[in-house]
Each structure stands twice: as C-alpha cells, then as structure tokens.
C-alpha cells in the first residue's frame, strides 16, 4: 500500500473513530449523571430515614415521659383521695365520740348525783327515796335512748331522726331544772321555771328536745362565771311555743354571740371548762328539725338570753259555732 493510500485510509477512518468516541463519552457522561443522581437520592433517603428515626425516638421519649407524668399524677391523686377519705373518716369518728360524750356526760353526772344522795344519810324519808329512785330509772332509760339514737345517726351531717309523740314541755323543763339544781347550787346558781300555764303540750320528739334543754341549762351553769339566777320562761301562743333561757352571768361580746351555734365554736367564757363547741350546734339542728328557730342575745356583764320558738304540732280545736 502506498503512502498516499495509507493517508487516505486514515483520513476516512478518523471521523468514524471520533464519532464512536463521542458516542461512548456521551454514554459515560449519562451513566455518571445517573449514578450521581442515584447517589444523591440515596443520600437524601438515608438522611430522611435518619431524621425520621430521630423524630420517632424523640416522640417515643416524649410519650414515655408523658405516660410517666400521667402515672405519677394519677398516683398522687389516688394518694390525696386516700388521705382525704382517711381524714374524713377520722373527723367523723372524732365527731361521733364528741357528740356521744357530750350527750351522755351530763345525764351520767345527774345519775351519779342521785345515787350519791341515795347512798348518803341525807335522805331518810322513804317517799323522797322512791322519787329519787324513779328519777334514776328515768335517767338510765334516757341514756339508753341516747345511745340508740347515736348508733342510728352516726354521722354529723345525717338528718336528725325524729320520733314525735305528745310531750308536756313544761314538765320536761322543770325536770331538767331539778336535775341540774344540785350541781348549780354548788356554784351559787339558782334555776327557776316560769309559766302562766299549767302544761305546755307539743307533738315532738321528747328525747331530742331533752337534749336541747340539757345543753342550754348545762351551758348556763358552766359558763355563767359567777353566782346568779337562770330563768326559763315558757309561753304558748296559738300554735307555737316561745321559750327563753336567761342567765345573769358574765355574757359574751356580740361578735362571739353571733357564732355560738356554729359547729366547734368555743367562746372566750369557757374559762377552762371542758367541751368541744358541739352542744349548741346540735341544739340548733334539733330545733330546726322540729320546724322551730333559735337565737341568742348577749353583752359583756349582762348575761346570755337564748330564745326558742317551736310549733306545737297540734291543731287548735275549731271554735264552736252557736
């Protein structure tokens, strides 16, 4: 092959080679681009997955913390509820004991007083001894009735249970005054019951009303603070009865007097006396359970005046038409 033929052949072959190289380079560039895009997509996917995993872990941690917090709050609520229930139960137990002690203490002291009189040399007359023995029987029955009432009405917020019957309120109050007269005399205190009527009849619960006047007379005897007189007045007007219990003791400030029927309130005139401030609160509940009302008036040095109004619960007979 001549030199000229070689040159011509190369000249003809070179464009083909150049075209093939360009095609190959183009394919390689496309391949590289595809690989680059794939790598970028894989990197983005990995980053997204990593970010998602981090978010899931954070959400799981937050959920765990929230569950722990809710569990702690629930446990705290349960403990508070338990503590509140225990405190309420203890309060009810203390209230029950206090009410029972308050109701039974005075009748027991009266029974003790009658028993000591009967056991001593002062009473020789058999008629008087029989009267005192009858009073002992009445007081023990009254105490038994009180215990039954307290067992059936254990909680302080329970409504007062009434068992009404016909009652001579004047006779009941006179009996209460007689019961307290011995202990009152030791303090230089006299008790008198005044009424223009020979009997004052009510349709009410005798046991509950007895508590009322026991409490009122006992408070006057205990907290008068000096010698003096307790005067109980009764007047029946139409279908209601007005009762006042007046003493001439040391009295109370008006601000204290306004609170004496509050539960657990204790006035400044206690002067070392025993009590929990439950007696007058119980008295108000009993009076109101009978449809009545009770109020108090007092000033320092002018004693205490308790006013009670009770419905008779007995219908007045119709007037005769003539």
């Amino acid at each position: 092959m001549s030199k000229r033929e070689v040159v011509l052949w190369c000249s003809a072959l070179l464009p083909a080679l150049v075209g093939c190289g360009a095609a190959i380079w183009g394919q390689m560039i496309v391949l590289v681009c595809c690989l680059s895009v794939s790598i970028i997509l894989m990197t983005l996917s990995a980053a997204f997955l990593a970010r998602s995993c981090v978010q899931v872990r954070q959400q799981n941690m937050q959920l765990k913390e929230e569950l722990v917090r809710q569990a702690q709050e629930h446990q705290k609520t349960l403990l508070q509820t338990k503590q509140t229930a225990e405190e309420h139960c203890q309060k009810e137990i203390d209230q029950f004991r206090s009410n029972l002690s308050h109701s039974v203490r005075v009748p027991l002291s009266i029974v003790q007083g009658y028993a000591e009189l009967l056991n001593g040399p002062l009473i020789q007359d058999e008629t008087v001894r029989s009267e005192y023995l009858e009073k002992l029987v009445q007081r023990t029955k009254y105490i038994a009735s009180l215990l039954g009432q307290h067992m059936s009405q254990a909680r302080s917020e329970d409504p007062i249970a009434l068992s009404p019957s016909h009652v001579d309120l004047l006779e009941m109050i006179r009996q209460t005054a007689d019961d307290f007269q011995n202990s009152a005399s030791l303090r230089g205190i006299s008790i008198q019951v005044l009424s223009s009527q020979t009997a004052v009849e009510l349709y009410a619960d005798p046991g509950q009303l007895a508590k009322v006047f026991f409490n009122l007379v006992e408070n006057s005897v205990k907290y008068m603070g000096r010698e003096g007189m307790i005067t109980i007045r009764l007047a029946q007007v139409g279908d209601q009865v007005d009762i006042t219990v007046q003493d001439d003791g040391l009295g109370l400030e008006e601000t204290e007097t306004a609170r004496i029927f509050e539960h657990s309130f204790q006035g400044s005139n206690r002067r070392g006396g025993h009590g929990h401030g439950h007696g007058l609160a119980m008295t108000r509940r009993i009076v109101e359970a009978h449809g009545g009302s009770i109020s108090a008036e007092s000033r320092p040095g002018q004693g205490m005046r308790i006013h009670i109004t009770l419905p008779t619960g007995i219908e007045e007979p119709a007037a005769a038409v003539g």
Side-chain angles (χ1 to χ4, degrees):
M1 179 181 295
S2 66
K3 185 176 181 180
R4 180 181 173 80
E5 291 175 344
V6 171
V7 172
L8 290 172
W9 185 81
C10 289
S11 298
L13 183 61
L14 183 61
L17 291 173
V18 172
C20 290
I24 292 171
W25 276 106
Q27 292 176 354
M28 290 180 66
I29 292 172
V30 171
L31 181 60
V32 169
C33 289
C34 291
L35 289 173
S36 299
V37 170
S38 298
I39 292 171
I40 293 172
L41 291 175
M42 291 176 65
T43 303
L44 292 175
S45 298
F48 177 77
L49 289 173
R51 183 178 178 183
S52 298
C53 289
V54 171
Q55 290 178 344
V56 169
R57 283 198 296 269
Q58 290 177 345
Q59 290 174 353
N60 288 337
M61 290 180 64
Q62 291 175 354
L63 179 60
K64 181 179 178 180
E65 291 174 355
E66 179 65 20
L67 290 175
V68 170
R69 186 186 64 80
Q70 290 182 0
Q72 291 175 343
E73 289 183 354
H74 183 63
Q75 183 179 14
K76 183 179 179 181
T77 301
L78 289 177
L79 290 174
Q80 290 177 343
T81 302
K82 179 182 178 183
Q83 183 179 1
T84 301
E86 290 175 350
E87 291 175 352
H88 180 72
C89 288
Q90 187 60 48
K91 182 179 178 181
E92 289 297 332
I93 291 172
D94 293 342
Q95 177 68 42
F96 176 75
R97 289 174 177 170
S98 177
N99 286 344
L100 183 61
S101 173
H102 189 280
S103 297
V104 175
R105 184 180 66 252
V106 176
L108 282 176
S109 66
I110 291 171
V111 168
Q112 180 182 357
Y114 285 143
E116 289 174 351
L117 285 173
L118 289 169
N119 192 45
L122 296 178
I123 301 177
Q124 300 296 330
D125 187 278
E126 288 300 320
T127 302
V128 177
R129 290 180 68 85
S130 296
E131 290 178 358
Y132 274 68
L133 285 171
E134 178 61 27
K135 290 181 179 181
L136 275 175
V137 172
Q138 291 176 357
R139 289 302 153 210
T140 52
K141 288 181 178 179
Y142 173 68
I143 293 172
S145 174
L146 278 180
L147 290 174
Q149 290 174 359
H150 277 280
M151 292 304 167
S152 62
Q153 184 184 315
R155 298 186 302 173
S156 61
E157 68 267 19
D158 287 344
I160 299 291
L162 300 179
S163 299
S165 61
H166 288 276
V167 182
D168 185 346
L169 187 61
L170 181 57
E171 178 60 29
M172 175 189 291
I173 293 177
R174 282 174 174 164
Q175 178 64 57
T176 301
D178 289 342
D179 289 341
F180 277 97
Q181 189 59 69
N182 291 330
S183 60
S185 297
L186 297 176
R187 304 188 184 207
I189 298 172
S190 298
I191 305 173
Q192 62 178 351
V193 180
L194 304 177
S195 178
S196 61
Q197 295 155 307
T198 57
V200 177
E201 291 192 357
L202 299 178
Y203 187 70
D205 188 315
Q208 297 288 3
L209 285 186
K211 291 181 190 178
V212 169
F213 297 104
F214 261 78
N215 287 335
L216 294 179
V217 177
E218 180 196 22
N219 270 20
S220 291
V221 172
K222 286 170 60 176
Y223 302 128
M224 276 182 63
R226 61 188 179 190
E227 297 180 355
M229 176 74 72
I230 299 171
T231 302
I232 306 172
R233 290 183 171 85
L234 289 83
Q236 181 172 349
V237 181
D239 59 355
Q240 72 176 27
V241 178
D242 290 332
I243 310 107
T244 58
V245 180
Q246 173 78 54
D247 67 57
D248 50 9
L250 297 177
L252 283 176
E253 295 285 350
E254 290 185 23
T255 54
E256 289 187 294
T257 304
R259 299 185 59 198
I260 64 172
F261 298 111
E262 294 180 10
H263 185 72
S264 298
F265 176 76
Q266 298 176 351
S268 59
N269 62 348
R270 291 183 69 235
R271 306 185 190 283
H274 299 289
H276 299 86
H278 298 160
L280 290 179
M282 183 191 304
T283 295
R284 182 183 65 179
R285 292 183 65 217
I286 294 172
V287 170
E288 291 177 349
H290 282 85
S293 62
I294 184 169
S295 61
E297 298 175 12
S298 183
R299 292 180 182 273
Q302 298 183 18
M304 174 73 70
R305 179 179 182 270
I306 305 291
H307 178 244
I308 297 174
T309 299
L310 289 169
T312 63
I314 303 172
E315 294 183 1
E316 291 290 330
V321 179

